[in-house]
Amino acid sequence: MVLKTFSLKSDGDSVEPLLRIKNLSVGYKTHEGVTKVLDNVNMYVYRGEKVGLIGESGAGKTTLLNTILRILPPNARVFRGEIVFNGVDLLRAKKNVLDDIRRSRIGIIFQDPMSALNPFFKVRDQLYDALRYSKFLDKNKKVDEKVLKETSLKMLKEVALPDAERVLDSFPFQLSGGMRQRVCIALALTRANDLLLADEPTTNLDVTIQEQILNLLRDLVNKRKLAVILVTHALGMLKGFVDRIYVIYAGQIVEVANTNKLFSNPQHPYTRFLLESAPRLTGEWRAKELPERIINYINPPKGCRFSVRCPYATDRCKTEKPQMIEISSGHFARCWLLRKV
Amino acid sequence: MDIILSTKNLKKYFETKYGLVRAVDGISFNVIYGETFALVGESGSGKSTTGHMIVGIYEPTSGKIYFKGQDISVPASKRPRFLRREIQIVFQDPASSLNPSMYIKDIVGMPMRVHGIVRDEGELKEKVMELLEEVDLPPEYYMYKKPRELGGGELQAVAIARALSTNPKLIILDEPTSALDVITQTKIIRLLTRLQQKQNLTYIFITHDLAVVRNFATRVAVMYLGKIVEVAPVNELFLRPQHPYTMMLLSSVPVISDEEEKIKPRKVRSVGEIPSAISPPPGCRFHTRCPFAMDICKTQEPELRLIDKAKQHWVACHLVQMK
């Protein structure tokens, strides 16, 4: 499956990707001024392809996902760009078209399952609602309590929840973090027929549970042939899960490569720092130190946004924005240093 | 090897409306001068509760804590002042452990005021500047900032400066880098290592991040549901883990290189979740999730026993002890 999408891509974009984000710039209106968070983001996801998006907190990862589903807060501003999903521009789509896509094509899993579930309703009510309004059930058949219950139990079993009957009858607070996240995955699966967005789905969980949830997600996604965008700040999670990785720094995509290439041959200084910073189980830690900077999104650096922290930055980096250059087939990075070589 | 802190059969139970929560249920360990002793385990294993009892946030239900040979099994308010100065804590989330309406100068200076370490404002300011310098925050820039103006790593550095202000001997680090991303985490761990060498500090490092433990700790105690299941020096634990739970933890760590994959122990697939501490399983508490559980595990609780004297490797597991 993976190989196929790659080969299709190389023979001249003959197949339209499932999702194509073009020159997207998004910001927020605040008391201090208008922030410019996402800066000219380009991204594509093919059918059945698993894509990772990695970056620090505050890099704009969640903003990007929320823009795809158009669930941004009211103070957000989309300055320009387009998001084409299945031939529809989501940023300009009518409400009924958009609702349809949210109901039956794209599902999302949020970082914190406790705040993603309504604390006042039992899992039963939340799942039933999702099922009623999604196109998961056959429209022609009458949807009654029995069908809903059967389907819900099936879904909960699919996400490997033992004792599904009891879970159905529980409020979110009565479940553990791992169980809640499984419920959220079940909810997302009722909608995700094409694309699943996962926003740091395991950040709040223990390593043991993290592994369980990742394995579950991998199985489900492969079984249903879904395309995935997995957002995280933990590198280890992406290895063995996604086909391709986008590295985002301060709202700019700085590097794109397929997973093996990114780990074996990172090009952008920021990607290298990310890889070196990860503490290793072998006990060697090659980490270098970087100065910490809160990104000022109201007046972002004119040139490369990483230039304020980059130890190799030159005057040109600070004033002129580098363009993406192709390092090898499908491997792109945005850095002046790479251009010189 | 001098022992700075030891616990003897330490327990902490909490009364809730659902029943008695046995958060920490009889643990004993020694911490040696100048080392970094890591407490690892899933959430709900009792590692934070242990740390909080040592600083004196909670009073132990039973059992003893000795600090430099002196019994300190009482809450901080009942401890002598000089002892309170000597044990400090750095919390997980600096954004909520620092007062948002205070200047950094006052946050770092507060413990020195409380303990009467400084005579006047001038001396306080001088000390604060020294401390900020120590944690790599240029004082002239940071003194009159408020927490919201700083990033996560800078805030954690402030929290460390505050902990250092009373000149402690022992610092409890309660998941100090869990809320930070990898690059910032590196900085904080580097800083802690440097301070430890310079000031001869002892750390109790509470975390669930095993990759950091490998790079930072000297000895590790693995906790499960209020009990210690394995204690060993860090290399020994990572290269020859004995308890199935330790193996499960280690084999669940997502890694990024092949060399790391190689040193992982034989795969113990993670199943189920940590049971409720209100009604812990009888026998070995881990038997409900253990792939190797035998009949004896379900009825008889294994004791923490020394399996390798030279390496000081302790394990509480019937399977290991039978070998």
Side-chain angles (χ1 to χ4, degrees), chain A residues 267-330:
Chain A
Q267 291 295 319
H268 197 280
Y270 179 64
T271 315
R272 288 201 210 146
F273 278 113
L274 268 185
L275 280 166
E276 281 164 9
S277 306
R280 308 289 172 106
L281 268 190
T282 41
E284 29 139 12
W285 204 351
R286 290 170 288 181
K288 293 192 190 77
E289 284 188 28
L290 276 193
E292 193 182 13
R293 292 272 179 281
I294 303 181
I295 304 143
N296 179 351
Y297 280 121
I298 294 172
N299 292 307
K302 243 202 214 131
C304 169
R305 287 188 176 181
F306 186 56
S307 62
V308 285
R309 289 175 81 182
C310 184
Y312 314 118
T314 60
D315 289 340
R316 191 183 193 188
C317 300
K318 284 171 185 150
T319 50
E320 226 180 307
K321 203 168 118 179
Q323 294 304 310
M324 277 285 188
I325 51 168
E326 188 163 19
I327 284 130
S328 58
S329 162

